[in-house]
Structure formats: C-alpha cells, structure tokens
Amino acid sequence: MNLQGITFEKLLDQEEISEQIKRLARRINVEYKGKDPLFLVILNGAFMFASDLMKEIRINARISFIKLSSYESMESTGEVLELIGLNEDLSGQDIIILEDIIDSGTTVRKLLTELKASGAASVKLASVLTKKKTVPFEFPIDYLAFEIENEFVVGYGMDIDGLGRNLKDIYVRVAD
Ligand code: IMP
Ligand code: MG
C-alpha cells in the first residue's frame, strides 16, 4: 500500500480492531451504568472509533465533537490548535474523551487540563492506539485498544496529509 510516496503494510486487521472496541464498550457499559456519560470525540482522527464504539454502547450516552490539530504530515508540531471548540456546559458531566492515537501526549494533556477546570464530574480517556514510550505518561489511558511500537500508522481514521482515514485496517510505515 502506498500513500504520498510512502509504503505501508497491514499492522492490525479490522476484525482485531472490532474485537477490542467491543471489549472497551462492554467495560464502559458496566462502569458507567446509570451515569449518562458524554463522549467527547477529538476530530478528525477519532471519527471511526467513535462511530464503532457508540454502536456498542447500551447505556444512555451523549456525544460531542472538538477539533484539535497538532500533527503536520508525519510529525508533531508540539503545538495544539483548537479548530472547533466546545460550546456546551460541561459542569457535572461524566466525560469520556475519544482519541485515535496518543503519541507525545500533547493533545490529550492540553484537553485534560481544560476539562478538569470545566467543572466536569469526571474525565476519562479512551484511545485506539498509543505508542510505546520510555517515560510513561503522567495520566492514565483508561480504555486502550492497542499499544504499538513507536512507528507511524494510517487507517481507521488516521491519516497522512489527510489521506488514509477511510481504510478499515491499520497500516504501519515500512522502513525503506
Ligand atoms: P500527540 O499530541 O503527539 O499525542 O499526537 C496525537 C495526535 O497526532 C493524534 O490525535 C493524531 O491525530 C496524530 N498522530 C500521532 N501519531 C500518529 C500516527 O502515527 N499516524 C497518524 N496520526 C498520528
Ligand atoms: Mg487526532
């Protein structure tokens, strides 16, 4: 598979992904029973995860979207831009952030800080992927589908220069 002149090979199959998403949904259904959580989706990358996860949620839940950007092509810029913000009252809400991948942690760190100051009743974090790190994050990833090596991936919502988000499987860059 080739995108933007870069070769990728399959890393995680749609069936494995689906199995893990269902497992996370089952845990959320139990742990948030009677709570009506608000799923806060970080666009663009988490749209596919959000759609698949929500279909497995059996408790009452709300969904809202925020658009953040920190990546340019294959690298983090270290700066998080808020392209579409939140316009609703979060006080008293039990929030579950949905992210596609946590790499340096910059994006999620910024959002966690903002949400904790918003009066939310609780804030938890769900992500499809995280990359192996030598120094662990100071925040927990409460619901995680997979941990991968420190490599660049596309598919299942994740992109390179906007491409690859439609792929059902997750692909990893092949070193050349
Ligand atoms: P962080 O702020 O460094 O944790 O990066 C998180 C954001 O960067 C994610 O929401 C993704 O949009 C993007 N990102 C990080 N790693 C990858 C990758 O391997 N492929 C595609 N996007 C990535
Ligand atoms: Mg993202």
Side-chain angles (χ1 to χ4, degrees):
M1 213 267 293
N2 192 289
L3 280 175
Q4 301 293 79
I6 294 180
T7 310
F8 291 88
E9 65 183 17
K10 202 186 275 186
L11 177 68
L12 295 164
D13 190 81
Q14 53 181 300
E15 260 116 68
E16 294 174 74
I17 300 169
S18 165
E19 215 173 281
Q20 287 304 310
I21 306 284
K22 286 179 181 157
R23 184 181 63 85
L24 298 184
R26 280 196 296 272
R27 280 184 51 207
I28 292 171
N29 285 333
V30 172
E31 291 168 23
Y32 282 83
K33 205 171 178 198
K35 280 197 170 159
D36 302 2
L38 171 70
F39 289 97
L40 186 55
V41 185
I42 307 184
L43 295 174
N44 292 330
F47 77 97
M48 205 173 276
F49 173 39
S51 169
D52 286 346
L53 183 81
M54 281 300 274
K55 283 179 269 184
E56 302 300 327
I57 294 298
R58 304 283 176 256
I59 55 173
N60 291 338
R62 295 186 172 86
I63 188 163
S64 196
F65 301 87
I66 181 169
K67 185 164 177 172
L68 302 179
S69 177
S70 69
Y71 244 63
E72 244 167 50
S73 202
M74 291 197 289
E75 268 173 74
S76 172
T77 58
E79 190 195 357
V80 186
L81 299 178
E82 188 167 305
L83 306 175
I84 300 177
L86 265 178
N87 47 11
E88 59 199 277
D89 184 11
L90 299 178
S91 57
Q93 303 247 40
D94 291 297
I95 299 171
I96 306 172
I97 299 171
L98 301 188
E99 177 61 307
D100 51 357
I101 181 163
I102 299 169
D103 180 6
S104 68
T106 312
T107 305
V108 153
R109 188 174 290 118
K110 183 173 181 238
L111 187 58
L112 282 171
T113 311
E114 283 178 16
L115 293 179
K116 280 174 184 158
S118 74
S122 67
V123 183
K124 288 205 175 182
L125 179 58
S127 182
V128 183
L129 302 178
T130 187
K131 298 186 191 179
K132 269 187 196 146
K133 290 274 130 63
T134 37
V135 184
F137 297 123
E138 74 284 7
F139 52 82
I141 306 174
D142 306 282
Y143 303 97
L144 176 67
F146 303 95
E147 184 180 69
I148 61 168
E149 297 299 323
N150 198 3
E151 290 168 322
F152 188 78
V153 291
V154 294
Y156 200 69
M158 291 167 282
D159 74 304
I160 176 165
D161 298 333
L163 300 176
R165 295 195 195 276
N166 54 305
L167 301 165
K168 291 179 185 175
D169 309 298
I170 294 174
Y171 294 79
V172 62
R173 178 188 189 177
V174 182
D176 43 19

